[in-house]
Amino acid sequence: MATSTKAVWLLPTNIENLQMMLAQGLITDASGFVGSYYKDVLNECLGYISLFKNEVPGAALSLAKSEDPNLISCIIKVNLKDIILGDCIHTRCDIEDSFNADDLSPKASNSVPIPSLQGKKTTELDYESILIQAPLPLSCIEEVIYSSKADLDEFKNSSENLGNVSIKILKCKVDKKEFKTTVSSSDLFHNSFANIEHNPVEYSKTYSFGGLVSLSLYFSKNGEESARFFKSISAFTVDESYPLEYEWIYEYFFSNENDKFQKWNAILDVLNNNKKRNDIEYKNSIIEILNSSPKTQSIADFLTDYHRSKIEKSDTQIIEEFIDDYKKEPNKFKIQLFLFMLFYKDSVEKLIKYTHESFREEDYALLGMLFGMNSSFIGLPKWLIEYEGMHLYISTLMANYAHKQSNTGIQFKEPSNPLLLTDMLSPKKIEFIAWFGKNFDTNDCFETIIPNKDYQSVKGKKIYDGIIVPEYRILKGKFLNTMSATVIDDKSYSEICKKFRGK
Amino acid sequence: MSKRIFDLPGIDELNKDQKAVLRLKESGQHLVIGGPGTGKSVVALLRARKFHQKNNYLFLTFNHVLNSSTKQICGIDLKSDTAQSWFYTLQFKLAPGNDFDLKKMPHKVDSNGREIQHSPDYDRVIERFDSYVDQNSSHLPSTDTHFIIDEGQDLPVGFYESLQSLGYENFFIVADQNQQITEENSSRQELTDVLALENDEVVELNENYRNSSAIAKFAQHFYTDKAAPAPNLPDRASLDTPTFYIYQMVNSCVSMIHREAMRDTSKLIGVIVATETKRDSYTKFLSKATTGDDITVSSYSNESKQSVNIDFSMGGIVVLCDKSVKGIEFDTVFIVLDDLKVMNNDTDAIKKRLYVMSSRAKEKLFLLRSAAIPNEVEELLPTDEKLMIRDNI
């Protein structure tokens, strides 16, 4: 690339690592990979993402294929414009006094504010690579470069055959030249960069948070209360009016003082740590926790017998009994119902399809949070990830959560909030509401209010002077009953958004 | 009843060995070896999906039930067939003109000189195929087909050699030597040799993909391959540790199976029995118990010669004899031990059957035995409570 042009930042990897990044929702160093990771530069400086200026060294490209020659390399062009706060380390190692003499760690003078790199020309930067503390959101991927059309096709085809790799957000191109490197150094970085200090990221909690917020966004379709939960959790806030169970989940993610719910936090630990899907292990771990205290042993016995098909009552009957119980004590912590649901419906998709006439709006919303947490972002169905704007929105939210929790000082620009159904159904959007009522069979979930004005009755018709604008109101109970039984997939959601925008 | 389809695996659900299989070159000969639940069929299906657009592949299975199940749940219009019926048709079509003798498959003969049904004499088939190639017959098929063969150990070496004699050279075979259920089969070494592979070119899948670890360990209890290392015992009893119920009344079993199906109508419940008589009776009992519910009870007999009428793309209850369940997976399996007998002191044969039956279960496994009929097969079951829980209903 011409040296007088703007500097571009490149991350060489292979398509399998790229697919994993898309599935987990974040660009991370090797330690943040959820499944199998293939060696590349993300393993060179632990905790950091290494980016090369303008050209990728041959050694970095070779490293990306070092585990298997059949791996296909690719280069991610990284855009730094969404990083609004934070520093990176430049890796120039030929400057005198760049390293501390005692431990050879890079000096603070090696730090550069990331926003200051924005728009810099190649000639203005006298270093060849930078290290940014992981993770980065997927919005930092400007485009992905492949060395041949065959490689790009293989990437597309293999992604199509994976249940959780969505490539819709990617811009891809073929450019063989990018792979013909002139930088031949065999050492990618000075030894001192291998173990530079970094603030460890709690990846498990970050991915759980991503799953939780995604499901919270999905269930916001059920009504205003669910939408309020989503808005709060995605803004990292809590409100005193919220139910105990929300507080329990919120404190787990945002507070270290969990005394109030300490007894039950072990359950959230299980949901957080169990990242293998379709795994009985979370159920086993829950039983183990419940068995460890005489007070909860009876719950463990019940769930064990239920799992082994020994309970003769029907599932609906069991849930009715829990709900009757909670009606008698409205402020009771609904842990038993939630545990039962985690045993009864063991996947996000099954919860999404489940409806119970006695469930309240908050029950769906809170269960969604627990199930989302258990599945984690990578366990979400592809159609949900492909909700308009969801992939990038949740990725940025996870990245900001990770950096906030580990105090790295890095912050990313938040993408605009996804459109929520209840916001779209504002009383003034008459045409949209009418369309929604007709197309989603929800006419009886609304009522129409005609302003109290004088009219004349002509042949049975009410004639008003001037323009009368009626108002529509959601009938909350009916709306919840209908919407909780309606699965809004990515295509329906896109259709709704499109109609709302008037396109 | 709810729809069930082949869930495409998530990238995090595939291990490095499976991913390496998916990266294998499109052309050439490949052999993938692995035990039940290691994802052999998953990688085979993913490979078929890869070739699907180009339409230059054929997915072959050993039995009709597996072919039917694979076709229904794979999510694409899979080009598949059972190996033997496809092979008989190929042989028929290649024979020139109306020469009945040539159109008829040559069969092996027993010591009395009688033809053995369904047992092609591959040496004679190869002779014929060679002559067609020499004559450059106009019937010769295009040889660019990529064969993807599931349960490849159940087909004899002659089958592969016959295809090679016609010039076919793209084979992707998945196999498990410990699941051989046919008289004529191929060992790992024979498959390696027939594909002209070096031993280190054979890909091994070792990690269990299908079953929960408790079920996988239970199945391994019946592993007859003496050369294989003994399985590690689980550290603790797990919720999905298989349960062996001794029942007083068959109704209790039927109710339990019914309950399990009602709990989640998208799940496929397999009831595996040893004989046709038991298959008939359980099909009747369960059909009666589920009348009026949204649950289908279906069954199929290998002996009926009819096409498979089970809808594997929907949840429900399927009653099958153990000989028909190879390669099929169920969410929950009930194995009815009644009528399963050790013949001629051949406990290895029963172990192999139990191995295949129990490894069909993905999530839950129950074994059922009547209290009134003691069964010597029970002695082969594990005694360790970590491997199997005993209970009464």
Side-chain angles (χ1 to χ4, degrees):
Chain A
M1 283 183 195
T3 48
S4 59
T5 54
K6 271 186 195 171
V8 291
W9 299 100
L10 304 170
L11 170 62
T13 182
N14 51 63
I15 65 169
E16 313 231 2
N17 285 350
L18 171 62
Q19 285 169 330
M20 187 65 81
M21 291 178 213
L22 292 167
Q24 67 194 17
L26 287 174
I27 305 169
T28 68
D29 68 309
S31 71
F33 274 64
V34 176
S36 39
Y37 162 77
Y38 294 87
K39 267 186 208 153
D40 64 359
V41 289
L42 295 170
N43 194 39
E44 292 295 285
C45 308
L46 219 60
Y48 288 86
I49 291 165
S50 331
L51 302 178
F52 298 96
K53 189 183 70 179
N54 292 356
E55 194 172 346
V56 174
L61 283 170
S62 307
L63 190 59
K65 291 179 72 164
S66 60
E67 283 197 41
D68 182 346
N70 288 338
L71 283 164
I72 294 170
S73 50
C74 61
I75 298 171
I76 301 173
K77 190 170 160 188
V78 174
N79 194 334
L80 304 178
K81 73 174 171 28
D82 284 343
I83 307 179
I84 53 174
L85 274 178
D87 292 350
C88 65
I89 297 168
H90 66 72
T91 59
R92 192 174 72 176
C93 48
D94 56 349
I95 315 168
E96 221 173 294
D97 295 332
S98 275
F99 300 97
N100 294 310
D102 49 351
D103 59 357
L104 280 180
S105 61
K107 279 189 172 172
S109 56
N110 281 21
S111 283
V112 191
I114 303 169
S116 74
L117 296 173
Q118 185 55 33
K120 278 272 190 314
K121 286 187 177 168
T122 304
T123 45
E124 292 175 274
L125 304 170
D126 59 354
Y127 38 85
E128 301 309 317
S129 54
I130 53 171
L131 302 176
I132 302 179
Q133 271 219 35
L136 292 177
L138 299 175
S139 57
C140 286
I141 302 180
E142 189 170 321
E143 66 182 351
V144 184
I145 308 163
Y146 304 83
S147 75
S148 68
K149 185 171 179 304
D151 286 358
L152 172 57
D153 288 346
E154 177 58 32
F155 170 71
K156 285 182 178 170
N157 293 340
S158 56
S159 302
E160 211 169 280
N161 280 332
L162 291 165
N164 55 359
V165 177
S166 170
I167 63 169
K168 282 191 171 172
I169 57 165
L170 284 191
K171 210 172 122 193
C172 300
K173 76 167 186 186
V174 175
D175 189 350
K176 206 170 184 174
K177 292 196 298 290
E178 296 284 350
F179 293 79
K180 282 183 182 156
T181 174
T182 54
V183 186
S184 58
S185 161
S186 56
D187 290 326
L188 286 169
F189 302 104
H190 189 279
N191 287 342
S192 309
F193 291 112
N195 290 307
I196 43 175
E197 270 188 22
H198 67 279
N199 301 10
V201 171
E202 277 193 90
Y203 278 112
S204 180
K205 238 173 173 172
T206 303
Y207 295 131
S208 293
F209 185 66
L212 180 156
V213 183
S214 304
L215 261 276
S216 183
L217 170 58
Y218 176 78
F219 280 107
S220 69
K221 73 181 168 69
N222 282 354
E224 283 170 0
E225 193 181 359
S226 318
R228 198 163 66 100
F229 283 173
F230 163 71
K231 286 174 185 169
S232 293
I233 202 75
S234 57
F236 308 165
T237 58
V238 67
D239 185 315
E240 277 177 5
S241 66
Y242 283 174
L244 275 180
E245 295 82 2
Y246 179 94
E247 207 185 323
W248 173 48
I249 296 167
Y250 174 84
E251 295 219 335
Y252 182 79
F253 281 97
F254 295 101
S255 164
N256 294 321
E257 294 159 18
N258 291 319
D259 293 349
K260 195 168 163 188
F261 302 103
Q262 201 172 21
K263 187 174 144 196
W264 297 110
N265 278 343
I267 300 288
L268 294 183
D269 275 336
V270 169
L271 301 185
N272 178 44
N273 295 328
N274 172 70
K275 290 288 170 266
K276 246 184 150 183
R277 283 175 287 146
N278 303 321
D279 197 338
I280 188 80
E281 273 314 302
Y282 79 88
K283 292 184 183 175
N284 276 327
S285 304
I286 287 174
I287 293 294
E288 207 166 80
I289 290 164
L290 296 173
N291 267 329
S292 66
S293 159
K295 284 183 184 167
T296 51
Q297 226 160 34
S298 61
I299 309 177
D301 291 344
F302 169 76
L303 292 173
T304 305
D305 285 347
Y306 176 78
H307 186 82
R308 295 202 171 125
S309 248
K310 286 191 83 177
I311 304 280
E312 293 186 2
K313 282 181 204 162
S314 76
D315 305 301
T316 317
Q317 223 177 330
I318 294 168
I319 292 171
E320 283 298 342
E321 283 177 13
F322 281 130
I323 289 174
D324 286 347
D325 202 25
Y326 293 132
K327 275 182 189 159
K328 286 176 210 152
E329 279 184 83
N331 292 325
K332 196 173 170 182
F333 191 51
K334 291 188 221 168
I335 190 72
Q336 287 205 51
L337 171 66
F338 287 1
L339 286 173
F340 176 75
M341 287 302 291
L342 283 164
F343 271 63
Y344 174 37
K345 296 288 163 200
D346 44 15
S347 77
V348 163
E349 298 223 51
K350 284 179 189 165
L351 181 75
I352 282 174
K353 287 177 189 158
Y354 183 74
T355 177
H356 191 291
E357 58 179 19
S358 302
F359 268 18
R360 293 186 298 174
E361 198 179 329
E362 68 175 45
D363 295 328
Y364 291 109
L366 294 164
L367 278 167
M369 289 184 174
L370 290 179
F371 274 67
M373 184 179 169
N374 192 25
S375 87
S376 162
F377 186 76
I378 203 165
L380 298 178
K382 203 173 191 167
W383 63 262
L384 186 52
I385 299 166
E386 291 183 346
Y387 248 49
E388 199 174 301
M390 167 86 100
H391 207 170
L392 292 179
Y393 176 78
I394 300 290
S395 173
T396 308
L397 206 61
M398 284 196 289
N400 274 333
Y401 172 79
H403 284 283
K404 183 174 187 279
Q405 296 305 104
S406 35
N407 289 317
T408 62
I410 292 178
Q411 201 184 323
F412 306 94
K413 184 183 154 194
E414 280 183 25
S416 48
N417 279 1
L419 284 169
L420 303 188
L421 182 60
T422 46
D423 289 346
M424 289 189 254
L425 294 170
S426 92
K428 287 176 185 167
K429 288 277 180 181
I430 297 167
E431 198 188 329
F432 172 74
I433 292 175
W435 173 86
F436 183 77
K438 187 180 163 196
N439 286 277
F440 286 83
D441 212 8
T442 50
N443 263 335
D444 63 349
C445 301
F446 298 92
E447 60 186 7
T448 309
I449 303 140
I450 307 288
N452 194 11
K453 293 212 172 172
D454 292 340
Y455 63 88
Q456 299 169 48
S457 217
V458 180
K459 290 182 185 172
K461 285 185 181 170
K462 290 174 183 169
I463 310 285
Y464 292 84
D465 281 342
I467 309 282
I468 296 295
V469 181
E471 267 194 29
Y472 288 81
R473 252 198 326 234
I474 294 175
L475 296 167
K476 285 184 182 174
K478 278 189 176 174
F479 190 81
L480 172 66
N481 283 343
T482 307
M483 290 313 295
S484 62
T486 307
V487 175
I488 307 268
D489 65 12
D490 56 322
K491 288 181 188 75
S492 305
Y493 181 70
S494 291
E495 200 187 341
I496 293 169
C497 295
K498 206 170 148 188
K499 186 71 191 174
F500 175 75
R501 292 190 189 108
K503 286 179 186 167
Chain B
M1 272 183 314
S2 305
K3 195 94 184 144
R4 52 188 295 278
I5 48 158
F6 170 63
D7 278 333
L8 288 172
I11 188 167
D12 54 316
E13 294 175 297
L14 295 169
N15 61 35
K16 283 194 173 181
D17 291 337
Q18 290 166 328
K19 286 182 179 177
V21 172
L22 298 178
R23 286 195 298 268
L24 288 173
K25 288 198 167 59
E26 288 194 4
S27 55
Q29 322 218 23
H30 309 287
L31 175 60
V32 179
I33 297 286
T38 49
K40 298 186 302 294
S41 301
V42 173
V43 293
L45 270 180
L46 288 175
R47 192 168 172 91
R49 290 178 73 100
K50 193 172 174 175
F51 287 112
H52 191 64
Q53 281 183 338
K54 296 177 194 163
N55 204 23
N56 59 344
Y57 73 100
L58 182 62
F59 194 99
L60 294 175
T61 60
F62 175 71
N63 67 39
H64 290 287
V65 182
L66 180 56
N67 180 40
S68 178
S69 141
T70 310
K71 251 183 184 328
Q72 289 173 24
I73 63 170
C74 70
I76 51 170
D77 185 15
L78 190 74
K79 267 178 77 179
S80 74
D81 207 336
T82 53
Q84 207 167 45
S85 69
W86 173 82
F87 191 71
Y88 272 65
T89 309
L90 174 78
Q91 203 285 144
F92 180 87
K93 282 184 180 168
L94 284 176
N98 291 317
D99 186 334
F100 180 73
D101 283 340
L102 277 180
K103 289 210 174 280
K104 192 171 168 280
M105 177 69 78
H107 285 118
K108 286 183 181 164
V109 290
D110 63 17
S111 52
N112 298 319
R114 282 192 296 252
E115 272 201 352
I116 306 170
Q117 282 293 297
H118 311 302
S119 184
D121 182 339
Y122 289 105
D123 289 339
R124 284 170 60 201
V125 172
I126 291 169
E127 266 175 42
R128 285 184 186 176
F129 285 3
D130 282 345
S131 71
Y132 301 150
V133 172
D134 289 345
Q135 292 157 21
N136 202 10
S137 159
S138 56
H139 295 89
L140 284 174
S142 149
T143 54
D144 61 354
T145 299
H146 292 257
F147 288 101
I148 299 168
I149 301 173
D150 199 1
E151 306 288 352
Q153 76 283 352
D154 284 332
L155 294 163
V157 171
F159 171 82
Y160 301 105
E161 288 172 337
S162 306
L163 297 182
Q164 286 169 335
S165 71
L166 287 173
Y168 288 112
E169 44 191 24
N170 297 314
F171 292 89
F172 177 88
I173 301 173
V174 296
D176 175 8
Q177 194 174 322
N178 214 51
Q179 287 193 82
Q180 290 164 340
I181 54 164
T182 55
E183 296 291 320
E184 294 186 356
N185 49 45
S186 305
S187 68
R188 172 188 178 145
Q189 194 56 53
E190 285 169 328
L191 288 170
T192 309
D193 293 343
V194 79
L195 296 179
L197 296 171
E198 296 295 330
N199 283 330
D200 60 4
E201 290 177 297
V202 177
V203 185
E204 280 187 26
L205 298 180
N206 294 310
E207 202 176 311
N208 187 281
Y209 182 86
R210 178 198 298 143
N211 321 108
S212 73
S213 62
I215 294 171
K217 297 237 161 81
F218 175 85
Q220 280 181 25
H221 174 79
F222 305 108
Y223 200 79
T224 53
D225 185 350
K226 304 285 189 290
N232 296 324
L233 282 177
D235 305 328
R236 54 179 177 173
S238 161
L239 271 177
D240 55 348
T241 301
T243 311
F244 173 41
Y245 286 117
I246 296 181
Y247 67 88
Q248 298 293 333
M249 310 275 287
V250 76
N251 278 352
S252 329
C253 301
V254 172
S255 298
M256 187 179 260
I257 297 167
H258 180 207
R259 231 171 15 241
E260 195 61 27
M262 284 295 286
R263 192 152 283 171
D264 188 339
T265 52
S266 68
K267 299 231 165 169
L268 194 65
I269 315 288
V271 180
I272 308 178
V273 295
T275 61
E276 286 294 317
T277 321
K278 274 279 173 281
R279 189 186 63 77
D280 274 343
S281 57
Y282 266 87
T283 308
K284 277 179 201 152
F285 291 147
L286 285 161
S287 300
K288 196 174 166 196
T290 54
T291 308
D293 294 332
D294 188 22
I295 295 173
T296 301
V297 177
S298 46
S299 187
Y300 169 78
S301 164
N302 268 344
E303 294 166 12
S304 72
K305 306 279 179 210
Q306 288 170 345
S307 56
V308 180
N309 56 350
I310 301 169
D311 189 353
F312 287 97
S313 67
M314 302 299 280
I317 302 171
V318 176
V319 188
L320 287 171
C321 280
D322 65 308
K323 287 192 173 119
S324 305
V325 298
K326 266 294 282 300
I328 313 286
E329 64 176 29
F330 300 97
D331 298 299
T332 299
V333 164
F334 290 86
I335 300 175
V336 181
L337 293 179
D338 308 323
D339 283 7
L340 187 65
K341 291 190 179 85
V342 180
M343 310 289 273
N344 306 321
N345 287 326
D346 187 358
T347 52
D348 268 6
I350 292 291
K351 281 183 179 175
K352 262 189 180 169
R353 287 170 74 180
L354 284 166
Y355 179 66
V356 172
M357 288 192 257
S358 52
S359 56
R360 299 306 96 210
K362 278 167 73 177
E363 295 168 10
K364 294 184 190 179
L365 174 63
F366 301 98
L367 295 96
L368 307 168
R369 196 265 284 169
S370 163
I373 316 164
N375 189 330
E376 56 190 340
V377 170
E378 196 176 327
E379 289 167 24
L380 304 176
L381 301 180
T383 50
D384 193 322
E385 279 269 311
K386 287 174 187 163
L387 280 186
M388 188 189 79
I389 296 163
R390 286 164 194 263
D391 206 344
N392 295 296
I393 49 169

